[in-house]
Amino acid sequence: GENVEQHPSTLSVQEGDSAVIKCTYSDSASNYFPWYKQELGKRPQLIIDIRSNVGEKKDQRIAVTLNKTAKHFSLHITETQPEDSAVYFCAAAEYGNKLVFGAGTILRVKS
Amino acid sequence: NAGVTQTPKFQVLKTGQSMTLQCAQDMNHEYMSWYRQDPGMGLRLIHYSVGAGITDQGEVPNGYNVSRSTTEDFPLRLLSAAPSQTSVYFCASSPAGTDYEQYFGPGTRLTVT
Protein backbone atom coordinates (compact mmCIF):
# COMPACT_ATOMS: atom_id res chain seq x y z
CA GLY A 1 0.00 0.00 0.00
CA GLU A 2 0.87 3.66 -0.08
CA ASN A 3 3.43 5.10 2.34
CA VAL A 4 3.96 8.84 2.79
CA GLU A 5 6.99 10.34 4.51
CA GLN A 6 7.06 13.98 5.55
CA HIS A 7 9.98 16.23 6.54
CA PRO A 8 10.85 18.06 8.65
CA SER A 9 8.85 17.13 11.73
CA THR A 10 9.27 20.64 13.16
CA LEU A 11 10.13 23.89 11.42
CA SER A 12 10.76 27.29 12.99
CA VAL A 13 10.98 30.40 10.80
CA GLN A 14 11.04 34.13 11.36
CA GLU A 15 7.96 36.09 10.35
CA GLY A 16 8.28 37.09 6.72
CA ASP A 17 10.56 34.19 5.79
CA SER A 18 9.54 31.25 3.59
CA ALA A 19 8.76 27.74 4.80
CA VAL A 20 9.11 24.55 2.79
CA ILE A 21 7.73 21.14 3.77
CA LYS A 22 8.55 18.05 1.71
CA CYS A 23 6.79 14.72 1.25
CA THR A 24 7.61 11.54 -0.61
CA TYR A 25 5.19 8.77 -1.55
CA SER A 26 5.65 5.18 -2.65
CA ASP A 27 2.69 4.21 -4.84
CA SER A 28 3.02 5.38 -8.44
CA ALA A 29 -0.76 4.98 -8.86
CA SER A 30 -1.41 7.90 -6.48
CA ASN A 31 -2.68 10.90 -8.37
CA TYR A 32 -4.13 13.25 -5.75
CA PHE A 33 -1.96 15.15 -3.24
CA PRO A 34 -3.67 17.45 -0.72
CA TRP A 35 -2.19 19.52 2.09
CA TYR A 36 -4.09 20.06 5.34
CA LYS A 37 -3.55 22.60 8.11
CA GLN A 38 -4.56 21.75 11.65
CA GLU A 39 -4.60 24.26 14.48
CA LEU A 40 -4.41 23.07 18.06
CA GLY A 41 -7.60 21.27 19.07
CA LYS A 42 -9.24 21.84 15.69
CA ARG A 43 -10.11 19.70 12.71
CA PRO A 44 -7.80 19.41 9.66
CA GLN A 45 -8.67 21.85 6.88
CA LEU A 46 -7.64 21.62 3.25
CA ILE A 47 -5.38 24.48 2.19
CA ILE A 48 -4.30 23.36 -1.27
CA ASP A 49 -4.24 20.24 -3.41
CA ILE A 50 -2.68 19.11 -6.67
CA ARG A 51 -3.45 16.40 -9.20
CA SER A 52 -0.86 14.32 -11.03
CA ASN A 53 -1.42 16.08 -14.35
CA VAL A 54 -0.22 19.39 -12.88
CA GLY A 55 3.34 20.25 -11.82
CA GLU A 56 2.66 23.33 -9.72
CA LYS A 57 -0.27 25.18 -8.21
CA LYS A 58 -0.39 28.51 -6.38
CA ASP A 59 -2.92 30.19 -4.15
CA GLN A 60 -1.75 33.56 -2.85
CA ARG A 61 1.15 32.85 -0.43
CA ILE A 62 0.87 29.08 -0.74
CA ALA A 63 2.21 26.89 -3.54
CA VAL A 64 2.58 23.17 -4.08
CA THR A 65 4.94 21.44 -6.50
CA LEU A 66 4.80 17.83 -7.65
CA ASN A 67 7.52 15.68 -9.21
CA LYS A 68 5.85 12.43 -10.28
CA THR A 69 9.07 10.89 -11.56
CA ALA A 70 10.78 11.29 -8.20
CA LYS A 71 7.53 10.71 -6.28
CA HIS A 72 7.79 13.80 -4.14
CA PHE A 73 5.77 16.94 -3.58
CA SER A 74 6.35 20.06 -1.53
CA LEU A 75 4.44 22.86 0.17
CA HIS A 76 5.87 26.36 -0.03
CA ILE A 77 4.58 29.19 2.18
CA THR A 78 6.00 32.64 1.44
CA GLU A 79 5.94 35.74 3.68
CA THR A 80 5.00 33.66 6.70
CA GLN A 81 2.78 35.20 9.38
CA PRO A 82 2.16 34.17 13.01
CA GLU A 83 -1.26 32.81 12.03
CA ASP A 84 0.50 30.28 9.76
CA SER A 85 1.71 28.51 12.94
CA ALA A 86 0.00 25.09 12.95
CA VAL A 87 0.57 21.44 12.07
CA TYR A 88 0.65 20.73 8.35
CA PHE A 89 -0.08 17.32 6.86
CA CYS A 90 0.54 16.06 3.36
CA ALA A 91 -1.40 13.13 1.95
CA ALA A 92 -1.57 10.98 -1.17
CA ALA A 93 -4.30 8.89 -2.73
CA GLU A 94 -5.29 7.11 -5.89
CA TYR A 95 -8.86 8.00 -5.09
CA GLY A 96 -9.86 11.02 -3.01
CA ASN A 97 -11.50 9.13 -0.19
CA LYS A 98 -8.58 6.83 0.67
CA LEU A 99 -6.02 9.35 1.87
CA VAL A 100 -2.71 8.21 3.36
CA PHE A 101 -1.24 10.98 5.49
CA GLY A 102 2.27 11.94 6.40
CA ALA A 103 3.17 12.26 10.09
CA GLY A 104 2.88 16.05 10.08
CA THR A 105 5.11 19.11 10.41
CA ILE A 106 4.80 21.55 13.31
CA LEU A 107 5.41 25.02 11.86
CA ARG A 108 6.26 27.82 14.28
CA VAL A 109 6.44 31.37 12.94
CA LYS A 110 8.33 33.64 15.32
CA SER A 111 7.47 37.32 15.37
CA ASN B 1 -25.59 23.45 6.52
CA ALA B 2 -24.12 21.94 9.67
CA GLY B 3 -21.48 20.12 7.58
CA VAL B 4 -20.00 17.06 9.30
CA THR B 5 -21.03 16.56 12.91
CA GLN B 6 -19.68 14.08 15.45
CA THR B 7 -20.89 13.01 18.87
CA PRO B 8 -19.74 12.81 21.56
CA LYS B 9 -16.91 15.37 21.78
CA PHE B 10 -15.23 13.52 24.63
CA GLN B 11 -15.60 9.99 25.99
CA VAL B 12 -13.89 7.91 28.66
CA LEU B 13 -14.31 4.13 28.52
CA LYS B 14 -13.09 1.27 30.62
CA THR B 15 -11.22 -1.59 28.93
CA GLY B 16 -13.70 -4.05 27.46
CA GLN B 17 -16.60 -1.64 27.13
CA SER B 18 -18.22 -1.04 23.77
CA MET B 19 -19.54 2.18 22.29
CA THR B 20 -20.54 3.87 19.06
CA LEU B 21 -19.10 7.13 17.76
CA GLN B 22 -21.67 8.98 15.70
CA CYS B 23 -21.01 10.84 12.46
CA ALA B 24 -23.50 12.63 10.25
CA GLN B 25 -23.25 14.95 7.24
CA ASP B 26 -25.89 17.06 5.53
CA MET B 27 -24.04 17.77 2.28
CA ASN B 28 -25.34 14.69 0.42
CA HIS B 29 -21.77 13.39 0.07
CA GLU B 30 -21.33 9.84 -1.21
CA TYR B 31 -17.97 9.18 0.41
CA MET B 32 -17.43 9.00 4.18
CA SER B 33 -14.36 7.94 6.15
CA TRP B 34 -13.13 7.44 9.71
CA TYR B 35 -9.59 8.35 10.77
CA ARG B 36 -7.75 8.15 14.05
CA GLN B 37 -5.08 10.65 15.00
CA ASP B 38 -2.29 9.73 17.38
CA PRO B 39 0.61 12.02 18.36
CA GLY B 40 3.44 11.94 15.82
CA MET B 41 1.57 9.60 13.46
CA GLY B 42 -0.71 11.80 11.42
CA LEU B 43 -4.17 10.52 10.56
CA ARG B 44 -4.73 6.87 9.72
CA LEU B 45 -7.73 5.55 7.83
CA ILE B 46 -9.85 3.06 9.79
CA HIS B 47 -12.83 2.37 7.49
CA TYR B 48 -14.44 4.13 4.58
CA SER B 49 -17.64 4.00 2.55
CA VAL B 50 -18.35 4.95 -1.06
CA GLY B 51 -22.12 4.94 -0.60
CA ALA B 52 -25.02 3.58 1.41
CA GLY B 53 -24.58 -0.15 1.96
CA ILE B 54 -20.92 -0.20 0.89
CA THR B 55 -18.01 -0.15 3.34
CA ASP B 56 -14.37 -1.24 3.22
CA GLN B 57 -11.34 -1.42 5.47
CA GLY B 58 -8.59 1.15 5.67
CA GLU B 59 -5.10 0.90 7.18
CA VAL B 60 -6.08 0.15 10.79
CA PRO B 61 -9.51 -1.58 10.88
CA ASN B 62 -8.97 -4.09 13.70
CA GLY B 63 -11.24 -3.56 16.70
CA TYR B 64 -13.70 -1.35 14.81
CA ASN B 65 -16.91 -1.97 12.87
CA VAL B 66 -18.87 0.32 10.59
CA SER B 67 -22.13 0.29 8.69
CA ARG B 68 -23.72 2.74 6.24
CA SER B 69 -27.47 2.37 6.10
CA THR B 70 -28.11 5.94 4.92
CA THR B 71 -26.14 8.52 2.94
CA GLU B 72 -26.09 10.85 5.96
CA ASP B 73 -24.82 8.61 8.76
CA PHE B 74 -21.64 6.59 9.24
CA PRO B 75 -21.28 5.30 12.84
CA LEU B 76 -18.06 3.73 14.13
CA ARG B 77 -18.41 0.94 16.67
CA LEU B 78 -15.73 -0.09 19.14
CA LEU B 79 -16.50 -3.69 20.02
CA SER B 80 -14.31 -4.14 23.13
CA ALA B 81 -12.31 -1.03 23.92
CA ALA B 82 -8.57 -1.32 24.57
CA PRO B 83 -6.09 1.31 25.85
CA SER B 84 -4.45 1.23 22.39
CA GLN B 85 -7.65 2.78 21.02
CA THR B 86 -7.10 5.96 23.02
CA SER B 87 -6.99 8.56 20.26
CA VAL B 88 -8.78 11.41 18.56
CA TYR B 89 -11.26 10.17 15.96
CA PHE B 90 -12.22 12.21 12.93
CA CYS B 91 -15.01 11.50 10.51
CA ALA B 92 -14.79 13.00 7.00
CA SER B 93 -16.99 13.19 3.94
CA SER B 94 -16.44 14.07 0.29
CA PRO B 95 -18.57 14.14 -2.84
CA ALA B 96 -18.28 11.46 -5.49
CA GLY B 97 -16.68 12.39 -8.77
CA THR B 98 -13.55 14.45 -9.30
CA ASP B 99 -13.91 16.94 -6.40
CA TYR B 100 -11.84 15.08 -3.86
CA GLU B 101 -11.82 17.58 -0.97
CA GLN B 102 -12.59 15.83 2.31
CA TYR B 103 -14.54 17.77 4.92
CA PHE B 104 -13.67 16.78 8.47
CA GLY B 105 -15.88 16.74 11.53
CA PRO B 106 -14.75 18.34 14.82
CA GLY B 107 -13.43 15.06 16.25
CA THR B 108 -14.10 12.84 19.26
CA ARG B 109 -11.42 12.52 21.93
CA LEU B 110 -11.58 8.98 23.34
CA THR B 111 -9.70 7.76 26.39
CA VAL B 112 -9.70 4.07 27.32
CA THR B 113 -8.52 3.28 30.85
Side-chain angles (χ1 to χ4, degrees):
Chain A
E2 177 63 274
N3 182 52
V4 177
E5 295 192 356
Q6 183 172 346
H7 300 280
S9 56
T10 60
L11 179 60
S12 289
V13 299
Q14 284 294 132
E15 183 177 358
D17 286 351
S18 295
V20 180
I21 303 170
K22 299 183 179 182
C23 289
T24 60
Y25 62 99
S26 61
D27 189 348
S28 56
S30 290
N31 58 16
Y32 175 63
F33 308 93
W35 287 87
Y36 283 83
K37 176 183 180 182
Q38 187 178 30
E39 296 174 350
L40 191 62
K42 300 278 182 68
R43 72 192 79 187
Q45 295 206 295
L46 181 73
I47 55 171
I48 196 167
D49 58 12
I50 193 167
R51 307 290 174 99
S52 60
N53 57 347
V54 175
E56 183 175 357
K57 185 176 178 182
K58 283 183 94 168
D59 184 3
Q60 299 183 334
R61 295 186 297 110
I62 293 172
V64 58
T65 58
L66 171 65
N67 183 327
K68 280 221 75 174
T69 303
K71 296 203 194 85
H72 64 72
F73 55 113
S74 301
L75 177 71
H76 304 252
I77 306 174
T78 59
E79 300 171 19
T80 52
Q81 300 165 5
E83 52 264 38
D84 293 329
S85 295
V87 182
Y88 291 81
F89 293 97
C90 63
E94 184 180 357
Y95 301 103
N97 64 319
K98 285 190 69 177
L99 294 178
V100 176
F101 284 83
T105 296
I106 300 171
L107 175 63
R108 296 191 184 94
V109 180
K110 298 176 284 189
S111 56
Chain B
N1 282 357
V4 181
T5 57
Q6 292 183 238
T7 55
K9 283 187 167 37
F10 302 94
Q11 183 71 48
V12 179
L13 290 178
K14 291 190 186 333
T15 298
Q17 287 184 318
S18 62
M19 80 159 295
T20 300
L21 307 186
Q22 301 291 346
C23 174
Q25 52 91 10
D26 60 1
M27 297 175 282
N28 203 31
H29 285 170
E30 290 292 319
Y31 297 163
M32 296 186 75
S33 306
W34 275 103
Y35 295 88
R36 60 177 289 172
Q37 184 173 30
D38 302 300
M41 297 188 73
L43 294 98
R44 292 182 293 168
L45 183 64
I46 304 171
H47 286 286
Y48 67 99
S49 169
V50 299
I54 306 169
T55 64
D56 206 346
Q57 296 181 351
E59 299 172 73
V60 288
N62 292 342
Y64 307 95
N65 271 359
V66 292
S67 60
R68 184 100 179 267
S69 55
T70 67
T71 299
E72 295 78 19
D73 300 298
F74 190 42
L76 178 73
R77 278 181 285 278
L78 280 71
L79 309 172
S80 177
S84 60
Q85 294 178 304
T86 294
S87 190
V88 180
Y89 291 84
F90 287 99
C91 178
S93 74
S94 59
T98 56
D99 179 3
Y100 286 168
E101 178 174 357
Q102 291 209 26
Y103 296 80
F104 283 84
T108 294
R109 185 174 294 274
L110 176 69
T111 302
V112 183
T113 61

